Amino acid sequence: KENAMFAYLGFLAVLGTNRWLRFGTITRPLLGLTLIGPLFGVVILVFLCGGVDTLFNIYRLLVSKASMLPYAIATGDGPWYRYLVDLLLMSPIVFCLAGGAVFKLRLRDEAPLYLVVFVAGTYLVMCNVRYGMNLRYTNMWDMPLRYLALLSIFDLASFFRHKGLISVLAVTLLCAVDIRQYYIFFVEHDLYELVTSGLLQALQILK
């Protein structure tokens, strides 16, 4: 799948920035697995397709047709910040809290920095795919964004006496809002393709 390539490039970005951000130690086994894993996946794809030529022809056909389909042209393009708009429409509170956490990160915050680099690396690639922008590719960002949102909640709750209770209530509210968003998009409006126009209509921004 195409989003597997996006994720792989994100992990390469993490490995590339580890020299300065120092998430951990890069070992030879890690580098070996980083190369062997994708190669093994390619071998499986070649086997399932029946040969290298068939796999190449399928990929070439996919790329050529994607740039010609009227639906892809109408819904799969946009400015580099399109994913930011879509994420804000889909899960506004999580998006805002995660964004706030990014601006408070320090070099010693290894886990959040790791996730931010992964998201940034994949975003850089995904926002440059012409006629191939779709919110479903961003499902790999769900955990990083919610982790960052949780950090913001803990940070805000620290200003209160009962910070544990405040954190629990805030997380509960956040879950309730996301469940409501899910109901709006997938139950009330039965969306399948999460394109911007569909999200705007579901939220009654566009009539």
Side-chain angles (χ1 to χ4, degrees), residues 61-154:
L61 181 65
L62 175 65
V63 173
S64 62
K65 293 300 182 182
S67 61
M68 297 171 58
L69 292 174
Y71 182 80
I73 295 173
T75 65
D77 204 7
W80 64 268
Y81 52 85
R82 171 183 166 170
Y83 282 122
L84 301 181
V85 174
D86 289 349
L87 289 169
L88 181 61
L89 294 172
M90 175 63 69
S91 193
I93 300 180
V94 168
F95 180 82
C96 292
L97 288 173
V102 170
F103 290 103
K104 295 199 66 176
L105 291 180
R106 295 158 294 186
L107 286 177
R108 64 174 180 267
D109 298 328
E110 296 177 357
L113 281 174
Y114 179 99
L115 296 175
V116 168
V117 171
F118 174 78
V119 172
T122 52
Y123 192 104
L124 182 63
V125 178
M126 291 164 57
C127 72
N128 285 290
V129 179
R130 191 177 187 187
Y131 304 138
M133 300 179 73
N134 194 297
L135 193 61
R136 71 174 184 269
Y137 298 145
T138 69
N139 58 2
M140 59 184 166
W141 298 342
D142 278 354
M143 191 280 285
L145 291 178
R146 278 152 181 77
Y147 179 82
L148 292 170
L150 191 62
L151 293 182
S152 284
I153 289 175
F154 289 160

Side-chain angles (χ1 to χ4, degrees), residues 4 6-16 34 114 117-118 122:
F6 297 148
Y8 181 68
L9 294 175
F11 286 123
L12 290 182
V14 170
L15 292 177
T34 302
Y114 179 99
V117 171
F118 174 78
T122 52

Side-chain angles (χ1 to χ4, degrees), residues 127-190:
C127 72
N128 285 290
V129 179
R130 191 177 187 187
Y131 304 138
M133 300 179 73
N134 194 297
L135 193 61
R136 71 174 184 269
Y137 298 145
T138 69
N139 58 2
M140 59 184 166
W141 298 342
D142 278 354
M143 191 280 285
L145 291 178
R146 278 152 181 77
Y147 179 82
L148 292 170
L150 191 62
L151 293 182
S152 284
I153 289 175
F154 289 160
D155 188 52
L156 293 172
S158 65
F159 291 100
F160 297 90
R161 175 183 296 181
H162 303 289
K163 58 183 180 181
L165 177 61
I166 296 297
S167 297
V168 170
L169 292 176
V171 170
T172 302
L173 177 62
L174 196 60
C175 292
V177 171
D178 267 5
I179 291 174
R180 175 58 181 166
Q181 292 292 97
Y182 176 88
Y183 183 82
I184 292 173
F185 293 126
F186 301 108
V187 178
E188 286 187 349
H189 293 84
D190 195 24

Side-chain angles (χ1 to χ4, degrees), residues 25-83:
T25 303
I26 297 179
T27 61
R28 288 183 179 180
L30 175 61
L31 293 176
L33 290 173
T34 302
L35 296 175
I36 293 173
L39 288 176
F40 185 67
V42 171
V43 170
I44 293 176
L45 285 176
V46 171
F47 175 77
L48 293 175
C49 291
V52 177
D53 292 339
T54 305
L55 177 63
F56 177 76
N57 290 332
I58 291 174
Y59 177 77
R60 185 176 60 181
L61 181 65
L62 175 65
V63 173
S64 62
K65 293 300 182 182
S67 61
M68 297 171 58
L69 292 174
Y71 182 80
I73 295 173
T75 65
D77 204 7
W80 64 268
Y81 52 85
R82 171 183 166 170
Y83 282 122

